[in-house]
Amino acid sequence: MGNLQVIEALLQKWNEENDTSNTQSEEFQEKPCPSTFIRSKKGDTNQHIFLTAEDSFKRLISVVDWHARCCKEKLKPTKMLKKGHVCKTSLKCNDKETPHVFSWSSSPYLPTKDYLVNSRVNHGITCSGILPAVYKRFAQGSGIGVISDENRASFFNVHSQHIQEEYKYSTDIALLQEIASYEELDSKIDIMSDARHGWRKNAKDTSVVCIGEKNT
């Protein structure tokens, strides 16, 4: 056998050992793509439920996609920890030599190191006027986690300062606009102040909103 035949034989042998196209085709045939429709059984109704943000969801897809191209083992979540309405967990594969481990949370972090999801919920609690006891019953009953009293109080203390500023700005502007709308200003103007009415744009962010008779 000449040198050329030896090289061709070795190349053919190498191709046979490293050709995974047939194996991959068989795997795809044996394991069809799982359906995205999931029907929960009676025993699955108490599974973990949490809130997630779009960016965290996209990042999870990117991590799983990267791992699938680098490792044959599957990622599995370890113990799930609730942080308010956020879920924090680790994704780990069973590779014996170098197992991959990724930390993942269902919410991005704000510059203050707070979770975006919890801050958005705190904002909704503050602006909706829902009572703390009602919020707790709802959150606990639905199983989506509960933001601690300390976290909600800390958020409210900071948020209330902005609410006070918006309240003062809203009432001052409303008074000035109403005064300017009168051609002949007597000793009074007709204006209504009531926190229950959302007729002004920033009513949801203020404790009191002023509604002028002529400028509503």
Side-chain angles (χ1 to χ4, degrees), residues 126-127 155-173 202-209:
T126 303
C127 296
F155 180 89
F156 179 78
N157 290 335
V158 176
H159 212 58
S160 60
Q161 299 176 10
H162 299 288
I163 292 176
Q164 186 66 23
E165 293 174 2
E166 290 296 331
Y167 148 70
K168 188 177 185 306
Y169 174 78
S170 175
T171 52
D172 289 348
I173 291 297
N202 60 347
K204 65 181 179 60
D205 299 324
T206 60
S207 56
V208 176
V209 59

Side-chain angles (χ1 to χ4, degrees), residues 38-55:
I38 303 174
R39 187 185 299 275
S40 293
K41 298 179 181 179
K42 184 177 180 180
D44 300 330
T45 55
N46 290 325
Q47 60 185 290
H48 290 282
I49 299 177
F50 51 87
L51 303 183
T52 188
E54 182 180 356
D55 285 347

Side-chain angles (χ1 to χ4, degrees), residues 8-69:
E8 290 179 348
L10 291 173
L11 181 60
Q12 182 178 358
K13 181 66 175 178
W14 185 88
N15 287 332
E16 291 176 355
E17 292 179 353
N18 292 276
D19 185 10
T20 59
S21 58
N22 294 332
T23 304
Q24 291 178 350
S25 299
E26 292 176 359
E27 289 180 355
F28 283 122
Q29 291 176 0
E30 294 176 359
K31 299 179 181 180
C33 178
S35 173
T36 55
F37 176 79
I38 303 174
R39 187 185 299 275
S40 293
K41 298 179 181 179
K42 184 177 180 180
D44 300 330
T45 55
N46 290 325
Q47 60 185 290
H48 290 282
I49 299 177
F50 51 87
L51 303 183
T52 188
E54 182 180 356
D55 285 347
S56 293
F57 179 65
K58 290 180 178 179
R59 179 60 59 87
L60 177 61
I61 295 175
S62 299
V63 169
V64 173
D65 178 66
W66 179 89
H67 181 265
R69 289 185 278 107

